[in-house]
Amino acid sequence: MRLICHRFLACPSCWRSQCNQALGPAKWLRRPVPRGIRSLYSETGEWGKKYELETRKKVESWWCTRIKEQFNTTVGIDKSRPKFYVLSMFPYPSGKLHMGHVRVYTISDTIAQFHRMRGLQVINPMGWDAFGLPAENAAVEHGLHPANWTQSNIQHMRKQLDALNLSFSWDREITTCLPEYYKWTQYLFIKLYEAGLVYQNEAMVNWDPVDQTVLANEQVDENGCSWRSGAKVEKKYLKQWFIKTSAYAKAMLDALPGLPKWYGIKEMQANWLGDCSGCYFDFMLKVSNKPTGETISAYTSTPEAIYGASHLYILPSHWLLHGNSCLKEILRKEFVPGKDSLTSVTAVNLLTNQEVPVVISAKSEFEGYLDTKIEFHFLKSTVGEIFAMHRKMTLPISAVLTWYKNGYSCQFTGMSRQEAMSAITQEARNKGVGGHLTSSKLKDWLVSRQRYWGTPIPMVHCQSCGPVPVPYKDLPVELPNITSFTGKGGSPLTSAAYWINCSCPRCKGPAKRETDTMDTFVDSAWYYLRYTDPHNSDRPFHKELADHWMPVDLYIGGKEHAVMHLYYARFFSHFCHDQKLTKHKEPFNELLVQGLIKNRTFRLATTGQYLKKEEIDLTGPEPVHIETKEKLQVTWEKMSKSKHNGIEPEEIVQKYGIDTVRLYLLFAAPPEQDILWDAKTDAIPGVQRWQSRLWHLATKLIEARDSGTLPSPQLLNQKEQAEARRIWEQKNLVVSEVTEYFLKDYLFNAAISRLMGLSNTLMQASPRLILHSVEFEDALASLCVMLAPMAPHITSEIWKGLSHIQNKLCTHHHWDMDVLQQPWPTVDPEYMQQPDVVEVLVLINNKPCGKVCVPQEVARDAEVVRELVIQSKLGSEHLQGRTVTKFFLSPRTALINFLVQ
């Protein structure tokens, strides 16, 4: 059998971009460089004084390969070091990266490098969420096979990621459309089936009556028409596969308080889950006292009262009235619109064995997403009303009165309400007939897709045995080679007769394979576990490896995935824990939800059409359409190709360089906030100038040490020593603050700002201080190390230059190792033992008036310092009776300035 995955993915390494071969160590030989040629110190041993465009290109070209070599692989488990698992949501291989990708991967790369420098064992894996509808659309529209289209896109996007020089753990790369991955997706699906958490039921789908095919929601336009044929979409019932995610709703809700670092997202998850105080019970349907073979689940918010159920309510839109049920005609005939319609269909509770009638409700909807619920008239009725209802609808009354008099029935009599609920739901779960606490707003997960490009559902249908899972030894069920895609009819898999027809694994009789494929959310619901053991051919992952790396310490992605994806991922993680596959229930310890990158869009007010830049006249006070001079609607929106406001990452990187783009994305806003691109373009030149200043600082130190004068800290006079002391204090303060920014809130913009402040302090240093000061050398080295996770290329080259200067004064740095291999700076012990008080210089209208001592612990609190100064003797002499209009505190320089009338 020719299978498509063998055709194009026989050797995954064939379509993975390979890193360049390792280059040998540079020979540090001083040699003359011809004038007019910009040299690179790492190549020549000659330091160029200016960091210009040509130098920047050479620096990034030289260091890209070398940085990749250091971090592209992860060795085995090192239990002597703490682990850190940082994960950014893997992309769909659409063919092109956008600036949103660049932002999220820059954040994850920065955090990964930071924790490596702190001595942690880090994995930062990357892969491809490679199944999906766009590949099938490309097959229909352009004649490209989904496999070839996906392969080409992955190759291109891998090259784009390589060009950004991100330190992903590429040895852990996964691709969800490869058989070696989806074999284990199928394995977990069968595990769910065996646990009673997978079932088939009829569900409503979008149906194109012209193309005779099922449409995804995104294929239906805003007018309710098919995106391809233009036909009005109809609703149709088809038999679909479901995963019973509601069975874990209560467990997932109860686990949320144990996730303190799910800032803002925890509330969204709780809202999605709802109040999990009710449950479903399973019922068998009968007509004229004969079983029909049909079963349904009905919800109640009072499970403890199940022995007092009076009837089942179903909505007029219920699948029993519209699908392929054998009860369809009976129920339709007995339904009276606008009234509660008692039917001849009865339902036997599989827990209590009580039989109650089925009533079609007069309502068009119930609370939440319910279409079936259990009714208890006694909960809101007197005994007389119960008998009246009994006579009116001929409802069985004995069980109702038993509950009404005694509270509960059978072995549950005498229990409190909470005890009865717990006992009844537990018994239902033990019997496999419901009882899982959930809410009325939560639906089970419909995972069937009538598509080709997805994980095949590993089930076969036998006339004798019914649905039967494929044996584990026969996995994976691979996609067949289908070459014709029309977008019409059912799933393309229905045309592969040689693939569909098979033997039943149970009775060995003729059977047919399931032709639906899985929702791509299933593939991404467990991929974080596969990263822990990506090459295992015997199981999804080894428990020891999963237990070591899990949970993910930091999960980074967009807010659009804060509900559904996280809900499904948590479900799979809880299930794997219950199956003894993993130790940890929750998959993600901390979430970082990054904001969007937005750009301006220009639309015609008359038609709503988005315009391209070349169609817009921006020369006047307001943008207008070039042809019609019509004023345009200008809004900030997420970058999108269709809205003509996107920016190609390659163009920006080529123009400004990798480090500049990284620094800009980190500096423009905190990670959770949106970036307005055009409003922040002033930051790009600022970041470029800062890199030039850093280069200039390194140049000053290199030239000072190469001047022929030996450095000697003893030669510094008292004023210079005081200046050196201030540099030392500033360095320690910045180390403390930047470390906190990295560890707590990932405020990279604040970290960069503090590093800029330290560089400004160093720029003011005198030539003698640069030459003779240990503090200057140490501060510049520490600045370089702290900046390295955010701008690895320029700092690698600066570090190489610093490491080869003569007569270094700092011996605690590892000068023989690259900057990204340096340990993260720590605060000097002496700084930690600073005096308990700080002398704050007081200025009034910019003139010094004296100093006031304030406690160290409040020296950074502007309001407290202000009050202490006003209450001091100096404040009484200079501020009493005067109106303070403004005041400014500079904790860094221990200075407060009062502006008074």
Side-chain angles (χ1 to χ4, degrees):
M1 186 182 293
R2 291 174 60 206
L3 298 176
I4 186 61
C5 293
H6 285 162
R7 266 187 22 164
F8 87 101
L9 294 176
C11 179
S13 62
C14 294
W15 54 287
R16 291 179 179 145
S17 299
Q18 297 297 316
C19 297
N20 295 328
Q21 293 298 315
L23 299 177
K27 302 296 184 181
W28 298 104
L29 300 177
R30 298 272 182 180
R31 57 183 181 271
V33 180
R35 290 191 177 186
I37 298 179
R38 179 71 61 190
S39 62
L40 191 65
Y41 186 82
S42 293
E43 292 180 302
T44 66
E46 294 289 337
W47 183 263
K49 292 186 177 182
K50 293 185 178 180
Y51 191 67
E52 296 175 337
L53 178 63
E54 186 181 348
T55 308
R56 185 263 296 167
K57 288 183 176 180
K58 286 194 173 186
V59 164
E60 294 187 352
S61 175
W62 175 270
W63 283 104
C64 267
T65 303
R66 286 153 181 81
I67 292 172
K68 281 192 183 81
E69 291 166 5
Q70 296 177 30
F71 304 111
N72 272 359
T73 58
T74 310
V75 295
I77 292 176
D78 181 359
K79 292 187 177 180
S80 67
R81 292 191 291 158
K83 65 90 180 179
F84 192 86
Y85 183 177
V86 56
L87 178 62
S88 43
M89 294 180 183
F90 63 172
Y92 177 76
S94 60
K96 278 189 174 183
L97 291 179
H98 52 69
M99 290 305 297
H101 287 127
V102 178
R103 186 185 191 191
V104 67
Y105 300 144
T106 296
I107 292 171
S108 68
D109 185 75
T110 297
I111 293 170
Q113 295 286 20
F114 165 71
H115 285 292
R116 286 191 187 103
M117 297 170 80
R118 293 182 64 235
L120 278 63
Q121 189 177 24
V122 177
I123 57 170
N124 179 24
M126 175 49 64
W128 310 97
D129 193 8
F131 276 134
L133 188 59
E136 210 157 323
N137 291 341
V140 174
E141 295 172 15
H142 307 298
L144 297 172
H145 194 282
N148 297 331
W149 186 83
T150 302
Q151 170 193 353
S152 175
N153 288 351
I154 289 177
Q155 286 178 332
H156 181 68
M157 292 177 71
R158 175 64 194 269
K159 289 178 181 177
Q160 288 182 302
L161 288 172
D162 283 343
L164 293 169
N165 199 25
L166 300 160
S167 62
F168 288 122
S169 308
W170 283 114
D171 59 323
R172 296 177 180 269
E173 182 180 10
I174 60 173
T175 305
T176 61
C177 68
L178 293 179
E180 54 261 38
Y181 182 88
Y182 69 71
K183 170 183 180 178
W184 302 113
T185 304
Q186 293 171 339
Y187 172 92
L188 292 171
F189 183 91
I190 295 173
K191 285 287 185 184
L192 287 163
Y193 181 82
E194 291 174 345
L197 296 174
V198 168
Y199 65 94
Q200 268 190 303
N201 208 347
E202 289 197 332
M204 192 182 295
V205 297
N206 301 311
W207 180 256
D208 185 326
V210 174
D211 286 345
Q212 294 288 295
T213 189
V214 175
L215 301 175
N217 288 333
E218 56 266 36
Q219 292 179 306
V220 181
D221 67 20
E222 57 188 10
N223 298 315
C225 296
S226 168
W227 72 297
R228 186 180 291 118
S229 71
K232 195 73 174 178
V233 172
E234 300 173 356
K235 297 296 183 181
K236 186 174 181 178
Y237 278 87
L238 290 180
K239 206 156 192 179
Q240 309 270 283
W241 287 98
F242 290 82
I243 295 177
K244 195 178 290 186
T245 49
S246 60
Y248 278 83
K250 177 64 171 169
M252 288 193 283
L253 182 67
D254 290 345
L256 285 176
L259 301 171
K261 295 183 179 180
W262 280 41
Y263 307 112
I265 304 303
K266 190 161 57 172
E267 291 74 20
M268 296 172 68
Q269 283 277 303
N271 183 62
W272 177 267
L273 289 164
D275 178 18
C276 297
S277 57
C279 73
Y280 287 89
F281 290 103
D282 294 342
F283 290 79
M284 177 185 67
L285 300 181
K286 297 169 69 175
V287 175
S288 302
N289 208 34
K290 294 180 180 179
T292 63
E294 300 273 11
T295 60
I296 60 172
S297 295
Y299 183 83
T300 173
S301 58
T302 54
E304 67 277 11
I306 189 61
Y307 282 90
S310 57
H311 60 282
L312 291 194
Y313 253 149
I314 64 173
L315 288 176
S317 59
H318 197 281
W319 62 269
L320 284 173
L321 283 80
H322 301 277
N324 298 310
S325 168
C326 62
L327 300 173
K328 177 178 176 179
E329 296 305 320
I330 296 174
L331 292 172
R332 283 190 166 189
K333 183 178 179 180
E334 296 176 341
F335 172 50
V336 180
K339 294 183 178 180
D340 284 351
S341 305
L342 178 64
T343 72
S344 58
V345 179
T346 59
V348 178
N349 188 316
L350 296 181
L351 173 66
T352 67
N353 291 320
Q354 291 176 314
E355 189 172 347
V356 295
V358 174
V359 178
I360 304 173
S361 175
K363 298 177 181 178
S364 60
E365 61 181 32
F366 295 145
E367 65 273 14
Y369 292 106
L370 298 179
D371 62 4
T372 311
K373 66 177 185 175
I374 304 168
E375 192 71 6
F376 305 87
H377 276 298
F378 62 84
L379 293 179
K380 53 188 176 183
S381 307
T382 64
V383 177
E385 289 171 331
I386 294 171
F387 275 107
M389 180 64 67
H390 167 62
R391 288 192 296 271
K392 180 180 178 182
M393 301 183 69
T394 321
L395 299 180
I397 201 66
S398 57
V400 177
L401 287 180
T402 301
W403 194 97
Y404 188 85
K405 292 178 181 178
N406 301 322
Y408 307 104
S409 290
C410 305
Q411 68 267 37
F412 308 110
T413 302
M415 291 185 181
S416 69
R417 178 176 178 176
Q418 188 61 42
E419 289 171 342
M421 184 182 76
S422 179
I424 288 171
T425 54
Q426 183 62 55
E427 184 177 359
R429 292 195 294 273
N430 292 341
K431 291 183 176 181
V433 293
H436 298 283
L437 292 178
T438 184
S439 71
S440 62
K441 63 192 297 185
L442 205 58
K443 295 192 290 185
D444 283 337
W445 183 7
L446 193 162
V447 296
S448 285
R449 296 294 182 270
Q450 292 71 42
R451 296 284 174 266
Y452 169 75
W453 196 236
T455 296
I457 293 177
M459 302 293 292
V460 297
H461 298 277
C462 174
Q463 285 190 340
S464 301
C465 305
V468 180
V470 173
Y472 290 114
K473 65 181 179 60
D474 294 336
L475 298 179
V477 177
E478 296 191 22
L479 288 169
N481 180 13
I482 293 176
T483 57
S484 176
F485 295 86
T486 64
K488 299 181 180 182
S491 166
L493 290 173
T494 58
S495 66
Y498 69 92
W499 180 82
I500 293 174
N501 295 315
C502 62
S503 298
C504 173
R506 189 172 295 161
C507 71
K508 309 306 177 185
K512 293 184 180 294
R513 293 192 187 280
E514 174 61 60
T515 57
D516 283 356
T517 54
M518 294 186 208
D519 178 7
T520 56
F521 271 111
V522 181
D523 303 307
S524 60
W526 73 279
Y527 78 115
Y528 51 88
L529 287 165
R530 184 63 176 174
Y531 276 138
T532 67
D533 192 13
H535 308 298
N536 196 324
S537 58
D538 298 324
R539 62 191 80 178
F541 46 85
H542 197 288
K543 185 176 185 299
E544 182 183 0
L545 291 170
D547 289 349
H548 173 77
W549 289 111
M550 293 296 293
V552 174
D553 293 279
L554 181 64
Y555 195 32
I556 310 172
K559 201 167 188 176
E560 65 272 19
H561 299 299
V563 176
M564 290 181 64
H565 164 62
L566 290 179
Y567 171 64
Y568 298 144
R570 294 183 66 216
F571 167 81
F572 261 82
S573 186
H574 277 248
F575 173 73
C576 287
H577 172 268
D578 286 353
Q579 292 289 308
K580 311 300 183 186
L581 296 174
T582 59
K583 178 174 67 175
H584 304 282
K585 276 189 178 182
E586 288 295 333
F588 313 119
N589 181 52
E590 182 176 4
L591 301 180
L592 178 58
V593 179
Q594 93 281 355
L596 301 173
I597 298 184
K598 295 182 177 180
N599 203 353
R600 288 187 298 172
T601 58
F602 301 87
R603 285 195 298 172
L604 292 171
T606 51
T607 64
Q609 177 189 350
Y610 287 94
L611 299 181
K612 300 177 182 178
K613 287 185 178 179
E614 55 267 26
E615 300 174 307
I616 306 164
D617 181 359
L618 296 170
T619 58
E622 293 184 88
V624 296
H625 189 204
I626 286 181
E627 293 182 2
T628 65
K629 304 303 178 184
E630 179 184 343
K631 289 185 179 180
L632 304 178
Q633 293 179 338
V634 183
T635 53
W636 290 96
E637 297 186 62
K638 180 181 177 180
M639 287 187 181
S640 167
K641 184 178 180 181
S642 63
K643 296 175 181 177
H644 310 299
N645 69 335
I647 293 174
E648 293 294 333
E650 295 97 325
E651 295 177 8
I652 297 298
V653 169
Q654 183 63 29
K655 183 176 181 180
Y656 298 111
I658 300 173
D659 285 339
T660 301
V661 172
R662 287 171 65 103
L663 287 170
Y664 163 70
L665 291 172
L666 297 172
F667 185 54
E672 295 90 347
Q673 293 184 12
D674 295 340
I675 293 177
L676 305 182
W677 185 267
D678 276 359
K680 285 287 184 181
T681 48
D682 58 312
I684 290 182
V687 164
Q688 285 181 307
R689 289 191 298 270
W690 183 46
Q691 291 175 85
S692 296
R693 288 198 298 273
L694 294 173
W695 191 271
H696 181 59
L697 280 171
T699 301
K700 287 164 67 172
L701 181 59
I702 291 169
E703 289 181 340
R705 296 296 171 81
D706 285 350
S707 65
T709 304
L710 289 176
S712 178
Q714 293 79 13
L715 296 178
L716 295 175
N717 59 37
Q718 188 174 358
K719 182 179 179 181
E720 290 165 340
Q721 289 176 5
E723 186 181 352
R725 175 75 182 187
R726 283 194 293 273
I727 290 175
W728 175 82
E729 290 175 345
Q730 175 73 351
K731 181 216 71 169
N732 279 287
L733 177 61
V734 171
V735 168
S736 173
E737 292 182 334
V738 170
T739 303
E740 187 174 358
Y741 291 142
F742 267 85
L743 287 174
K744 285 193 175 180
D745 300 313
Y746 308 105
L747 297 177
F748 305 112
N749 59 322
I752 292 171
S753 179
R754 299 302 290 122
L755 294 175
M756 287 178 170
L758 179 57
S759 66
N760 290 339
T761 299
L762 296 179
M763 288 293 289
Q764 298 168 13
S766 63
R768 279 175 50 81
L769 199 67
I770 295 171
L771 174 61
H772 296 297
S773 167
V774 178
E775 291 81 1
F776 182 93
E777 181 183 313
D778 185 34
L780 181 56
S782 298
L783 190 159
C784 193
V785 172
M786 287 187 286
L787 182 60
M790 296 181 279
H793 306 89
I794 184 174
T795 52
S796 292
E797 183 64 15
I798 288 176
W799 186 265
K800 189 62 70 175
L802 296 179
S803 67
H804 285 84
I805 62 175
Q806 302 297 312
N807 306 309
K808 286 188 288 292
L809 298 174
C810 291
T811 58
H812 62 278
H813 295 292
H814 300 275
W815 295 110
D816 58 333
M817 298 165 64
D818 289 337
V819 69
L820 287 169
Q821 296 172 319
Q822 300 299 310
W824 186 259
T826 56
V827 176
D828 295 324
E830 184 185 346
Y831 183 80
M832 301 297 292
Q833 299 169 3
Q834 291 274 24
D836 294 334
V837 295
V838 175
E839 282 191 337
V840 176
L841 177 64
V842 180
L843 280 68
I844 297 178
N845 292 336
N846 303 314
K847 294 181 180 180
C849 295
K851 294 182 178 181
V852 172
C853 292
V854 301
Q856 174 77 38
E857 61 269 19
V858 299
R860 304 182 63 79
D861 189 320
E863 288 295 337
V864 173
V865 173
R866 168 187 170 277
E867 192 61 31
L868 289 173
V869 171
I870 289 175
Q871 293 176 7
S872 68
K873 182 179 179 182
L874 183 146
S876 299
E877 293 176 1
H878 297 278
L879 294 172
Q880 195 170 26
R882 304 177 73 179
T883 302
V884 177
T885 57
K886 283 185 180 180
F887 74 96
F888 308 92
L889 175 69
S890 172
R892 181 175 60 85
T893 56
L895 175 151
I896 187 167
N897 187 11
F898 291 89
L899 300 182
V900 301
Q901 292 180 354

